[in-house]
């Protein structure tokens, strides 16, 4: 299954918001290395408290503690007890839990519960409530271990989980305590991924993750009150969109819309949050990603190697060590002209070693090929760990020495991962117990991995993050030098990354008005690389067009470099034996199937903006040669940190719709599609396929099916 481009910066924002809203990170005294706009702390706190209360109520119900549940409901959600249907179910479960204890005292309490609470509530809860009340009295004479009794289901502990799920669904909707956007997005993308694989009859390359992360079981749906049953009919477009987005029957979608009072997006969120995920696994995936991306600290010691210079005498980033040349040329096999301009290149690199992050470059001038792993690691063995060789160890030591000051400064700014300590405190009922559990868990982790291995892995990760930071600041010449010091052969195996870094260096020189040095970089690096890879000739030509622009046009426009920095991070990480986070693999695969699924549906995803799916696909087109330098195409590009925006409908038509799909879309009327979907309970793609066979006539399709 092909991968797809992902806006990792957008994913960083979603992940950070998720970690903050779930209280997984300590954000009190640090600033992330990445600056993100996010929701206010007060809104996070309020939403988190509501979700925490719901989780407490769920645990009480799953353990059979109805009295504690009622106490929490009276304190935080008294409106639930005003709903006689829900109150009756709670009292009925309380009656069964009292009998389950098996003592005479508990039996007397059960009788009192019937007299004072259950019987009065059964009179007006709902039409079937009184019959259920009489039926449950049989529990007095049939034992819980009697598998042939008429009240076996009432005795089943599964009832605890059913009522816990129902209460969670109702509370979540009433308190607007939805899960963080990232959690809902992941549920949605995995659900579509599974459905697409089944529909196409293909196996999923990430099934080991999706099967463990998204559970098959869902919470029961919240039942709308009787007054909502007379609600006006809903738009069939909304019904079908909801039904197929979250795999509901048509009636289930109608009931969900009734409960949400016709609000499609609220109904959609209600249904998504009914899907269950393995929370501990999700947290671990998020933590792994955050450490890899430098959002949170790894929790390990600062990198240290023998012979490191003291903090009193740090080397600046990009400063050359004695005996280390400040600039290098890179030759490819058969390249006889690679050293032609070496002297000039040295002067260019030395003159532009310290480039401030505020320096800007014309985004439209950077044209390249796919910055993802398709090129970045095409010649690299994914399983090769070169760090064991002497040359790589020496390279690591040198880079760490030059970046020691940077490493300490950046790590001090990262957030600290705290995990679900509130959850642990609640479950253990003692803060000390929870803390000791976490310490024990950490100790086990250190025992499993020797300290030397941990420090070595942490050293490598700091190097990779340092490279990523330099690219993000546009310091291309420094990056090339640092990477070559680490591995002299790296750019021979990843020539597209070198080409893109030299593009950045070229455009910075153009922006500063140094056209002579810029042409020297182009002739000594960009030209030779493009001559060996014809696919780079077009982006080379478009890059050279920057010379024709006045200096003021090239200045003042930010250069989005995070896609390039991520590609370099992944490529260097794999070279050093650092595995890519599983979450990155998961996002690539699920976003790809999301694209393919809606090509089959021949429509736009109505929920992609709500879940930020569109921003995750909104990649930096200037770095992947998707934005032309022509005026007409330049008008469609946005500059700065934002990316080129392409709607889903545009993607569907431009990213590979077949002629058959286009003709089917032309034949079929939207009302005809909806009619076939409604009457035959078919997915949209199947309805379109049938209509195409009968010239778009819905009545003919229905007649043929029933004939």
């Amino acid at each position: 299954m092909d991968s797809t481009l992902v806006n990792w910066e957008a994913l960083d924002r979603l992940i950070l918001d998720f970690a903050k809203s779930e209280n997984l990170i300590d954000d009190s005294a640090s600033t992330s290395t990445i600056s993100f706009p996010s929701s206010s702390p007060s809104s996070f706190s309020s939403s988190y408290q509501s979700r925490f209360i719901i989780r407490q109520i769920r645990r009480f119900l799953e353990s059979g503690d109805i009295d504690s549940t009622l106490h929490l409901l009276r304190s935080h959600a008294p409106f639930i007890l005003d709903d006689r249907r829900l109150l009756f179910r709670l009292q009925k479960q309380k009656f069964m839990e009292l009998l389950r204890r098996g003592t005479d005292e508990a039996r007397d309490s059960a009788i009192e519960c019937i007299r004072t609470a259950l019987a009065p509530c059964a009179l007006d809860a709902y039409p079937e409530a009184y019959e259920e009340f009489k039926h449950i009295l049989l529990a007095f004479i049939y034992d819980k271990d009697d598998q042939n009794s008429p009240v076996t289901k009432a005795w089943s502990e599964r009832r605890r989980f059913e009522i816990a799920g129902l209460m969670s669904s109702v509370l979540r909707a009433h308190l607007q305590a939805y899960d963080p956007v990232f959690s809902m997005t992941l549920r949605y993308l995995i659900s579509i991924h599974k459905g697409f694989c089944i529909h196409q009859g293909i196996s999923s390359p990430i099934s080991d993750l999706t099967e463990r992360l998204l559970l098959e079981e869902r919470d029961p749906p919240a039942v709308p009150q009787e007054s909502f049953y007379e609600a006006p009919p809903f738009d069939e477009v909304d019904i079908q969109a909801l039904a197929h987005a979250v795999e509901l029957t048509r009636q289930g979608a109608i009931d969900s819309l009734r409960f949400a009072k016709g609000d499609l997006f609220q109904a959609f969120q209600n249904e998504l949050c009914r899907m269950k995920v393995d929370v501990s696994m999700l947290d671990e995936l998020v933590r792994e990603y955050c450490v890899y991306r430098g959002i949170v600290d790894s929790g390990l010691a600062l990198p240290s190697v023998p012979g490191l210079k003291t903090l009193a005498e740090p080397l600046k980033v990009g400063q050359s060590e004695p005996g280390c040349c400040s600039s290098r040329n890179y030759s490819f096999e058969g390249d006889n002209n690679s050293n032609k301009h070496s002297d000039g290149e040295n002067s260019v690199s030395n003159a532009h070693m310290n480039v401030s992050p505020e320096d800007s470059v014309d985004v439209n001038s950077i044209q390249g090929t796919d910055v993802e792993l398709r090129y970045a690691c095409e010649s690299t063995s994914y399983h090769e760990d070169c760090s064991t060789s002497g040359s790589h160890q020496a390279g690591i030591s040198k880079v760490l020495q030059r970046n020691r000051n940077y490493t300490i400064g950046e790590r001090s700014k990262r957030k600290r991962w705290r995990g679900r300590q509130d959850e642990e405190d609640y479950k253990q009922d003692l803060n000390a117990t929870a803390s000791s559990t976490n310490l024990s868990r950490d100790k086990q982790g250190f025992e499993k991995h020797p300290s030397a291995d941990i420090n070595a892995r942490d050293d490598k990760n700091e190097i990779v993050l340092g490279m990523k930071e330099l690219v993000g600041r546009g310091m291309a010449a420094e990056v090339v030098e640092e990477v070559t010091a680490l591995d002299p052969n790296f750019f021979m195996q990843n020539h597209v990354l070198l080409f893109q870094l030299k593009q950045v260096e070229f455009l910075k020189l153009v922006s500063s008005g140094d056209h002579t040095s810029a042409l020297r970089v182009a002739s000594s690096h960009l030209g030779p690389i493009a001559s060996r890879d014809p696919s780079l000739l077009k982006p080379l030509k478009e890059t050279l067009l920057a010379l024709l622009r006045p200096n003021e046009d090239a200045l003042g426009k930010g250069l989005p470099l995070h896609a390039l920095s991520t590609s370099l991070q992944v490529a260097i990480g794999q070279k050093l034996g650092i595995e890519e986070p599983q979450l990155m693999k998961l996002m690539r695969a699920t976003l790809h199937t999301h694209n393919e699924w809606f090509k089959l549906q021949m429509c736009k995803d109505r929920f992609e903006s709500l879940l930020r799916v569109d921003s995750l696909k909104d990649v930096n087109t200037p770095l992947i040669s998707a934005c032309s330098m022509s005026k007409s195409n330049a008008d469609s590009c946005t500059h700065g940190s934002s990316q080129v925006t392409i709607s889903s409908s545009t993607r569907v038509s431009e990213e590979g719709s077949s002629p058959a799909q286009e003709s089917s879309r032309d034949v079929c009327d939207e009302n005809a599609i909806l009619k076939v979907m409604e009457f035959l309970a078919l997915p949209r793609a199947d309805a379109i396929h049938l209509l195409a066979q009968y010239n778009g006539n819905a009545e003919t399709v229905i007649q043929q099916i029933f004939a």
Side-chain angles (χ1 to χ4, degrees):
M1 184 176 294
D2 295 333
S3 63
T4 193
L5 294 176
V6 180
N7 184 335
W8 299 115
E9 191 175 63
L11 182 60
D12 289 346
R13 285 193 291 270
L14 281 177
I15 292 288
L16 186 59
D17 281 350
F18 170 82
K20 283 183 177 180
S21 62
E22 290 290 65
N23 212 20
L24 296 174
I25 56 177
D26 184 358
D27 197 33
S28 58
S30 64
T31 303
S32 174
T33 56
I34 308 171
S35 177
F36 299 131
S38 59
S39 302
S40 64
S42 59
S43 64
F44 276 143
S45 176
S46 175
S47 179
Y48 175 77
Q49 291 299 328
S50 295
R51 292 196 305 275
F52 183 60
I53 290 167
I54 292 172
R55 286 195 287 267
Q56 285 182 306
I57 290 173
R58 180 190 282 271
R59 292 193 191 98
F60 281 140
L61 289 170
E62 289 176 350
S63 64
D65 190 348
I66 308 301
D67 285 334
S68 296
T69 299
L70 292 171
H71 175 72
L72 269 181
L73 288 172
R74 290 188 191 101
S75 301
H76 300 284
F79 58 87
I80 293 292
L81 302 180
D82 293 334
D83 188 331
R84 305 289 284 181
R85 302 168 308 157
L86 299 176
L87 181 60
F88 174 72
R89 296 185 184 187
L90 287 170
Q91 296 293 358
K92 187 168 62 170
Q93 189 64 30
K94 178 180 179 179
F95 168 73
M96 294 304 303
E97 296 300 339
L98 289 170
L99 287 182
R100 198 188 305 276
R101 296 178 188 175
T103 64
D104 292 339
E105 182 180 356
R107 194 178 189 88
D108 292 340
S109 297
I111 294 173
E112 183 65 19
C113 175
I114 286 179
R115 290 174 177 170
T116 60
L118 189 57
C121 195
L123 295 176
D124 57 357
Y126 47 87
E128 303 84 5
Y130 193 68
E131 287 299 320
E132 292 179 13
F133 165 71
K134 291 189 294 184
H135 181 77
I136 206 172
L137 294 178
L138 295 173
F140 276 122
I141 58 175
Y142 288 98
D143 189 76
K144 62 182 178 181
D145 297 323
D146 186 351
Q147 298 301 315
N148 296 318
S149 76
V151 286
T152 301
K153 291 183 179 179
W155 276 115
S156 173
E157 291 191 0
R158 182 173 179 79
R159 281 297 178 94
R160 294 176 172 179
F161 293 88
E162 290 175 356
I163 193 171
L166 174 63
M167 289 296 169
S168 297
S169 296
V170 175
L171 285 166
R172 190 185 302 118
H174 280 287
L175 297 176
Q176 295 288 293
Y178 297 115
D179 292 330
V181 173
F182 174 69
S183 181
M184 291 192 288
T185 301
L186 208 56
R187 289 176 169 101
Y188 183 56
L189 290 175
I190 292 176
S191 177
I192 288 178
H193 177 82
K194 288 182 175 181
F196 176 81
C197 292
I198 293 172
H199 185 272
Q200 298 298 99
I202 59 178
S203 59
S204 167
I206 55 169
S207 59
D208 59 324
L209 289 175
T210 57
E211 296 300 327
R212 289 183 293 139
L213 187 57
L214 184 65
L215 309 180
E216 292 294 331
E217 188 178 2
R218 300 187 185 189
D219 285 336
V223 181
Q225 296 181 13
E226 292 182 12
S227 59
F228 293 166
Y229 281 94
E230 300 302 324
F234 304 111
D235 191 330
E236 189 64 31
V237 175
D238 290 349
I239 295 173
Q240 294 297 334
L242 181 61
H244 291 285
V246 289
E247 299 177 315
L248 296 176
T249 63
R250 184 174 182 275
Q251 186 58 50
I254 292 173
D255 289 342
S256 184
L257 285 167
R258 279 180 178 148
F259 181 78
K261 301 180 182 179
D263 188 328
L264 174 64
F265 294 105
Q266 182 177 333
F268 176 68
Q269 291 178 89
N270 289 339
E271 296 301 325
L272 273 184
C273 291
R274 284 179 52 214
M275 300 179 183
K276 295 183 178 181
V277 295
D278 185 326
V279 175
S280 60
M281 181 180 179
L282 176 58
D283 288 353
E284 184 54 38
L285 290 176
V286 168
R287 182 185 181 278
E288 179 191 33
Y289 179 86
C290 287
V291 170
Y292 183 84
R293 296 285 288 171
I295 297 172
V296 303
D297 190 68
S298 63
L300 305 176
L302 284 169
S304 58
V305 293
L308 276 182
K309 299 190 177 183
T310 64
L311 294 181
E313 300 176 335
L315 282 170
K316 293 182 179 179
V317 174
Q319 180 177 337
S320 298
E321 291 189 69
C324 179
C325 61
S326 61
S327 180
R328 293 172 174 82
N329 277 281
Y330 306 90
S331 61
F332 301 93
E333 186 176 352
D335 187 356
N336 297 321
N337 301 317
S338 60
N339 295 320
K340 181 185 283 187
H341 303 284
S342 59
D343 293 338
E345 173 62 13
N346 280 335
S347 65
V348 172
S349 293
N350 289 332
H352 298 276
M353 286 299 288
N354 296 311
V355 183
S356 68
E358 289 77 16
D359 288 344
S360 57
V361 182
D362 181 358
V363 293
N364 287 328
S365 303
I366 290 195
Q367 306 297 326
T369 51
D370 187 352
V371 297
E372 294 293 332
L373 297 181
R374 183 160 60 92
Y375 285 125
C377 302
E378 60 187 11
S379 304
T380 306
S381 171
Y382 289 154
H383 304 288
E384 179 185 4
D385 184 359
C386 303
S387 63
T388 56
S389 66
S391 62
H392 277 271
Q393 291 286 15
I396 289 173
S397 296
K398 290 179 181 179
V399 175
L400 277 173
Q401 287 176 12
R402 285 198 293 272
N403 291 282
R404 173 72 172 177
N405 193 39
Y406 160 81
T407 298
I408 294 175
E410 291 304 312
R411 288 194 68 166
S412 66
K413 297 178 184 178
R414 293 179 198 158
K415 302 179 187 301
R416 182 180 67 84
W417 185 268
R418 65 189 298 274
R420 295 184 184 268
Q421 292 183 5
D422 295 336
E423 308 281 339
E424 291 296 320
D425 292 347
Y426 170 78
K427 285 186 287 185
Q428 301 294 337
D429 214 23
L430 284 172
N431 293 340
T433 306
S435 300
S436 64
T437 302
N438 292 332
L439 288 173
S440 175
R441 193 177 300 143
D442 292 340
K443 182 178 178 181
Q444 291 173 3
F446 277 96
E447 288 173 352
K448 184 177 179 181
H449 303 285
S451 60
D453 292 342
I454 292 174
N455 286 334
R457 185 170 64 250
D458 201 32
D459 285 351
K460 296 175 188 176
N461 198 49
E462 290 305 321
I463 290 173
V464 174
L465 288 173
M467 302 294 186
K468 174 176 173 286
E469 175 69 15
L470 291 178
V471 175
R473 293 162 60 187
M475 301 171 71
E478 289 85 345
V479 171
V480 171
E481 179 181 352
E482 294 293 313
V483 172
T484 306
L486 188 66
D487 181 2
N489 298 319
F490 178 83
F491 285 121
M492 295 181 186
Q493 299 169 329
N494 298 277
H495 65 280
V496 175
L497 281 175
L498 177 61
F499 182 86
Q500 291 165 345
L501 288 168
K502 289 300 177 180
Q503 277 183 299
V504 174
E505 185 178 350
F506 173 86
L507 290 172
K508 280 193 170 291
L509 291 169
V510 172
S511 296
S512 67
D514 190 351
H515 291 183
T516 301
S517 297
L519 285 172
R520 200 172 289 134
V521 170
S523 60
S524 59
H525 293 286
L526 296 176
I529 297 172
S531 67
R532 299 295 176 265
D533 186 347
S535 67
L536 298 176
L537 285 174
K538 181 180 178 181
L540 173 59
K541 296 173 186 177
E542 293 169 339
T543 301
L544 292 174
L545 287 176
L547 292 168
L548 305 180
R549 292 189 163 200
N551 288 343
E552 58 268 25
D553 287 346
L555 292 172
K557 297 177 181 178
L559 178 63
L561 291 168
H562 48 81
L564 176 57
S565 67
T566 298
S567 291
L568 186 70
Q569 178 186 19
V570 172
I572 297 176
Q574 289 176 338
K575 195 71 175 175
L576 296 178
I578 301 173
E579 290 190 14
E580 183 183 38
Q582 295 183 85
L583 191 58
M584 295 179 79
K585 303 172 186 176
L586 182 66
M587 296 306 297
R588 279 200 191 93
T590 55
L591 285 171
H592 170 76
T593 50
H594 182 273
N595 278 335
E596 297 303 310
W597 179 248
F598 282 96
K599 286 180 187 176
L600 289 176
Q601 305 305 309
M602 299 185 193
C603 67
K604 180 179 179 179
D605 182 1
R606 297 186 65 182
F607 306 107
E608 67 174 11
S609 294
L610 176 70
L611 298 178
R612 311 292 192 270
V613 174
D614 53 352
S615 67
L616 291 172
K617 296 179 183 179
D618 194 7
V619 294
N620 280 304
T621 52
L623 283 173
I624 57 173
S625 197
C627 186
S628 173
M629 283 292 295
S630 67
K631 184 179 185 301
S632 60
N633 288 338
D635 290 340
S636 67
C637 298
T638 55
H639 307 301
S641 61
S642 60
Q643 299 88 23
V644 174
T645 303
I646 305 173
S647 68
S648 290
S649 57
T650 303
R651 286 196 197 95
V652 169
S653 61
E654 292 181 354
E655 292 183 5
S657 292
S658 66
Q661 288 176 324
E662 294 291 346
S663 62
S664 298
R665 193 180 336 187
D666 293 338
V667 169
C668 302
D669 175 71
E670 187 66 24
N671 290 329
I673 296 172
L674 292 172
K675 190 171 185 178
V676 172
M677 291 173 68
E678 176 184 355
F679 276 87
L680 302 181
L682 289 176
R684 183 182 176 89
D686 295 342
I688 292 174
H689 181 70
L690 283 174
L691 284 166
Q693 297 179 30
Y694 294 97
N695 297 319
N697 192 311
E699 287 76 10
T700 304
V701 170
I702 295 170
Q703 289 174 5
Q704 290 296 323
I705 293 296
F706 285 107

